[in-house]
Amino acid sequence: MTEKPSAKIDKGTIGFDWEVDQDPQAVWAALSTDEIASRWLSCKATIDAVPGGRVRFGWGDEETTEGVVTAVETGRILEYTWEQPGEDTSRVRWEIQPADGGGTRLLLTHTDLTRPQDKVKELAAGWHDFLDALVAELNGTSHTSRHDELLERYAKS
């Protein structure tokens, strides 16, 4: 696998700008379809991709993230709040664009983070691993988590 760029982390914002080989429609389906998102996020995902719709990501009894869809442009933009118990309420925004020469440019921006910088870096490592899993899902390949390796790498950045 070709290594994708690390997150840009700045003042409570995490940003990824990746190109993937699949078409924008496949990427949209992976972000907005419960069954597909559940596979690459390794959780029970519920995504009602309409303005005001609810999102819920359940990783068992111990960790659940919920939110409300705040922006949708079908096939292009999906944005929702990210509410974790005991953490800040933040915002996740996915943007899908056709890439030059084919494939998709995928931008993930997680904003409004007020948690300490080390916790922001942990979240960035988690998103990076999830994006690796998303690419594997799109390519029909398996994903081996690199979460611990990414945690270490982001902690040093």
Side-chain angles (χ1 to χ4, degrees), residues 81-146:
T81 58
W82 184 265
E83 303 165 22
Q84 291 177 296
E87 295 287 352
D88 46 12
T89 296
S90 51
R91 186 173 310 273
V92 172
R93 182 178 179 91
W94 299 94
E95 296 181 53
I96 299 169
Q97 304 169 1
D100 295 336
T104 301
R105 181 176 179 207
L106 177 62
L107 293 93
L108 166 61
T109 309
H110 195 149
T111 60
D112 302 329
L113 295 162
T114 59
R115 59 188 76 179
Q117 189 70 359
D118 62 326
K119 297 294 184 187
V120 172
K121 289 180 177 184
E122 287 177 16
L123 186 59
W127 276 122
H128 193 135
D129 196 45
F130 282 141
L131 285 167
D132 282 346
L134 171 61
V135 170
E137 174 70 28
L138 290 166
N139 291 334
T141 59
S142 63
H143 170 68
T144 301
S145 177
R146 301 184 307 135

Side-chain angles (χ1 to χ4, degrees), residues 15-132:
F16 289 91
D17 184 347
W18 283 16
E19 287 195 17
V20 296
D21 293 333
Q22 303 302 318
D23 64 48
Q25 295 85 358
V27 176
W28 176 258
L31 297 176
S32 62
T33 305
D34 297 354
E35 180 182 332
I36 301 171
S38 292
R39 287 195 303 260
W40 64 268
L41 287 165
S42 298
C43 73
K44 172 68 174 132
T46 305
I47 303 162
D48 185 13
V50 297
R54 299 288 304 172
V55 297
R56 184 175 193 279
F57 308 100
W59 288 274
D61 294 336
E62 296 182 21
E63 187 174 351
T64 299
T65 299
E66 297 185 2
V68 176
V69 175
T70 55
V72 176
E73 290 181 32
T74 302
R76 289 196 53 241
I77 295 172
L78 178 60
E79 179 182 276
Y80 44 84
T81 58
W82 184 265
E83 303 165 22
Q84 291 177 296
E87 295 287 352
D88 46 12
T89 296
S90 51
R91 186 173 310 273
V92 172
R93 182 178 179 91
W94 299 94
E95 296 181 53
I96 299 169
Q97 304 169 1
D100 295 336
T104 301
R105 181 176 179 207
L106 177 62
L107 293 93
L108 166 61
T109 309
H110 195 149
T111 60
D112 302 329
L113 295 162
T114 59
R115 59 188 76 179
Q117 189 70 359
D118 62 326
K119 297 294 184 187
V120 172
K121 289 180 177 184
E122 287 177 16
L123 186 59
W127 276 122
H128 193 135
D129 196 45
F130 282 141
L131 285 167
D132 282 346

